Amino acid sequence: MESKTVMFSALFLVCLTLVNGSPASVEVGKLTKATNVSWSSYNFKTILTWGPKPVNYTYTVEFSRVGRDKERNPHCIRSSETECDLTNELELKGVYSAEVLSESPLGSSDYVEPPYTRSNKFCPYDDTIIGRPEFKLKVNVNNKTVLIIQDPITALHKDGRSLNIRDIFKKNLKYKIAYNKAGSTGKKMLTVNESKAEFNNLDEDQSYCFSVAAYIPSRKGDKRVGEWSLPKCSPQKHKNLIEEYGLAVIGGAALIILAFVIAVIVLIVVCCKRARRQTLMAKETEV
């Protein structure tokens, strides 16, 4: 009787194992590989992102520069987050790749190699997006228009201060300036090496609108140009009558008005004399 009980119990465990799998296989099935692993970098603030949100497992990030050993950020080990800030871990001109590992939160050693997803290669110097710059617009009395550009601040620091993009790119940083007459769609483009630009030959009576973007010639494709700034327009100069029409036109108009006034006066005088003459003739007729 006891042997039958043991036999039935053994058969039951075998069936349960066949249906549900071994404990190790159940755990493996719960580990989901990361998807959409990508780099997000803006003004050198660099974050690795992925999905989905983990349930009953964690993520660990390993990153490495090409040709070097893998490293880990202590804040991105067995984490339930789906992003990892690597801003201060990467060298400016280094080329990196990263792997997001799916792991058990308890550190189980049942897996020879946890499932992982590898990112594309990334270089902060070549790939970070350069944000839109701010600039001041000044128009001098001699009609010279001056743009003073403020180099965008980055997420990097040195000697206790924040670095701007000029500190990083140095002479490799230029600026593209797009400008056009207010209300016109035809734009002109100017590239300058410094954070200042002067315009001397613009039409005096026109308002001009300007936009600025950082330009890195050493980069490839669309990454050469950063985000464009919001446009700013110079004030339109209001001309006085002499500037608007010139002395000749104003003098001619004055002569015409004067001639018209004289003609009206003469006409009034003639009419008055004629009316007086007719009045005298009427009185003489009555007498």
Side-chain angles (χ1 to χ4, degrees), residues 46-173:
T46 302
I47 298 176
L48 187 73
T49 62
W50 64 89
K53 193 73 175 175
V55 178
N56 297 326
Y57 67 96
T58 61
Y59 291 118
T60 294
V61 173
E62 293 183 342
F63 63 96
S64 62
R65 183 170 179 174
V66 174
R68 297 186 183 179
D69 295 335
K70 294 180 180 179
E71 301 179 60
R72 290 186 175 188
N73 183 317
H75 300 290
C76 305
I77 298 175
R78 299 195 183 281
S79 170
S80 60
E81 301 297 325
T82 55
E83 64 177 37
C84 180
D85 190 342
L86 297 175
T87 300
N88 298 318
E89 309 290 338
L90 309 181
E91 297 177 19
L92 277 176
K93 296 187 178 182
V95 179
Y96 291 85
S97 63
E99 294 176 356
V100 180
L101 290 67
S102 301
E103 297 182 312
S104 167
L106 300 178
S108 172
S109 59
D110 293 336
Y111 318 106
V112 176
E113 183 178 7
Y116 67 90
T117 304
R118 181 178 288 114
S119 72
N120 293 327
K121 292 181 178 180
F122 171 80
C123 175
Y125 190 89
D126 292 332
D127 296 326
T128 194
I129 296 173
I130 305 300
R132 62 179 55 153
E134 297 290 335
F135 67 95
K136 294 180 180 180
L137 183 62
K138 297 182 178 180
V139 181
N140 298 335
V141 291
N142 57 358
N143 202 45
K144 177 189 292 184
T145 301
V146 181
L147 271 67
I148 301 175
I149 305 167
Q150 181 179 344
D151 301 319
I153 300 297
T154 73
L156 304 180
H157 298 80
K158 184 177 181 180
D159 299 330
R161 72 177 186 89
S162 298
L163 301 179
N164 60 42
I165 62 173
R166 178 70 66 184
D167 296 323
I168 295 171
F169 292 108
K170 297 181 171 57
K171 292 184 178 181
N172 196 28
L173 171 64

Side-chain angles (χ1 to χ4, degrees), residues 156-225:
L156 304 180
H157 298 80
K158 184 177 181 180
D159 299 330
R161 72 177 186 89
S162 298
L163 301 179
N164 60 42
I165 62 173
R166 178 70 66 184
D167 296 323
I168 295 171
F169 292 108
K170 297 181 171 57
K171 292 184 178 181
N172 196 28
L173 171 64
K174 304 179 188 300
Y175 283 102
K176 281 189 174 293
I177 302 173
Y179 63 101
N180 59 282
K181 293 180 180 180
S184 171
T185 57
K187 289 188 176 182
K188 295 183 179 181
M189 198 72 64
L190 175 69
T191 301
V192 295
N193 296 325
E194 305 297 331
S195 301
K196 181 178 180 181
E198 297 182 356
F199 295 83
N200 298 309
N201 300 317
L202 302 179
D203 295 341
E204 295 185 8
D205 59 335
Q206 291 289 333
S207 171
Y208 283 81
C209 297
F210 301 84
S211 295
V212 179
Y215 175 56
I216 315 297
S218 63
R219 289 184 167 190
K220 297 179 180 179
D222 296 338
K223 294 179 181 179
R224 292 179 180 177
V225 181

